[in-house]
Amino acid sequence: EVQLVESGGGLVQPGGSLRLSCAASGFTFSSYWMNWVRQAPGKGLEWVATIKADGSETLYVDSVKGRFTISRDNAKNSLFLQMNSLRAEDTSVYYCTGGAGWLIEYWGQGTLVTVSS
Amino acid sequence: ENVLTQSPGTLSLSPGERATLSCRASQSVAKDYLSWYQHKPGQAPRLLIHGASSRATGVPDRFSGSGSGTDFTLSITRLEPEDSAVYFCLQYAVDPLTFGGGTKVEIK
């Protein structure tokens, strides 16, 4: 059974940092592109970042470029999102997702990040 | 970016009826790289359809996808109480990936 389990969410002040983690199991993690997708309260889903299977390339939505860093550890079947200079508009449920290429096949249940003073 | 618009926002139907959900793109979706997902509260979203019309593994044949270019449809026949969920579409043809706003299906 495929599982993606996110952790690391919580309450952080504006300008602060947070690191999200995602533990993957049940599929060949090292062969899959992985992403972070978020959903702000009452809003639609938004793609945040992607890292290719071997970690050779990363892509970001414009609003997080220079502030967020996606990374992975294929030896530990883990995905990460380092979030710096957080803003109120980054408040969202963050989902770890993965697939063979751009198609998203698997999703986690999400972790809530709240940016507020 | 390719904006996806889903309609209707909410669909309220009885068990056994058919649901028809629409996803319209602002630009043509190359190679019909359009997928559909089911999302129930407290659960991870589940892939139903990819490539506009291919069912994912284990998805019942009551779920079917159709369409091409800018207009796509998800059909659910013989609705069951367990089909109550939010359904959303995703285009994965171009960066950035974009999602539809979702259709909530309620079973009376």
Side-chain angles (χ1 to χ4, degrees):
Chain A
E1 179 193 5
V2 170
Q3 279 201 310
L4 294 173
V5 180
E6 302 95 338
S7 60
L11 175 63
V12 61
Q13 292 188 340
S17 297
L18 213 54
R19 188 188 195 216
L20 304 184
S21 299
C22 172
S25 60
F27 66 104
T28 307
F29 180 79
S30 59
S31 298
Y32 280 68
W33 293 23
M34 298 298 295
N35 322 278
W36 290 97
V37 172
R38 67 184 178 183
Q39 186 167 30
K43 303 288 188 178
L45 291 160
E46 178 185 40
W47 167 77
V48 174
T50 293
I51 185 166
K52 294 190 176 179
D54 61 1
S56 61
E57 187 174 354
T58 58
L59 302 98
Y60 301 90
V61 67
D62 285 347
S63 60
V64 308
K65 283 179 182 175
R67 300 188 299 123
F68 289 12
T69 302
I70 188 172
S71 61
R72 64 191 297 161
D73 184 340
N74 284 346
K76 296 183 177 179
N77 290 349
S78 296
L79 177 72
F80 307 99
L81 185 67
Q82 178 65 43
M83 304 186 293
N84 299 329
S85 303
L86 282 161
R87 306 166 180 167
E89 55 264 35
D90 295 317
T91 294
S92 291
V93 174
Y94 285 74
Y95 294 95
C96 168
T97 74
W102 280 116
L103 170 64
I104 294 178
E105 298 178 58
Y106 309 126
W107 294 72
Q109 292 191 358
T111 186
L112 176 62
V113 172
T114 303
V115 184
S116 174
S117 54
Chain B
E1 69 179 43
N2 198 346
V3 177
L4 302 184
T5 302
Q6 288 190 243
S7 61
T10 302
L11 208 46
S12 186
L13 296 166
S14 298
E17 290 191 306
R18 176 190 184 108
T20 302
L21 288 65
S22 171
C23 177
R24 180 162 291 175
S26 62
Q27 306 165 37
S28 183
V29 178
K31 302 180 182 179
D32 293 339
Y33 279 179
L34 189 289
S35 52
W36 289 93
Y37 301 83
Q38 177 190 64
H39 190 191
K40 297 181 180 180
Q43 297 186 19
R46 173 195 182 193
L47 173 65
L48 297 175
I49 302 288
H50 61 91
S53 60
S54 298
R55 261 188 304 276
T57 302
V59 175
D61 60 7
R62 300 186 297 105
F63 294 86
S64 64
S66 62
S68 183
T70 60
D71 289 298
F72 299 88
T73 300
L74 174 70
S75 298
I76 313 170
T77 58
R78 305 185 304 279
L79 277 169
E80 300 180 0
E82 67 194 44
D83 298 331
S84 180
V86 172
Y87 295 82
F88 61 89
C89 53
L90 159 70
Q91 72 77 23
Y92 54 99
V94 292
D95 164 26
L97 302 182
T98 50
F99 297 87
T103 291
K104 184 176 184 179
V105 173
E106 299 177 338
I107 310 299
K108 295 177 186 175

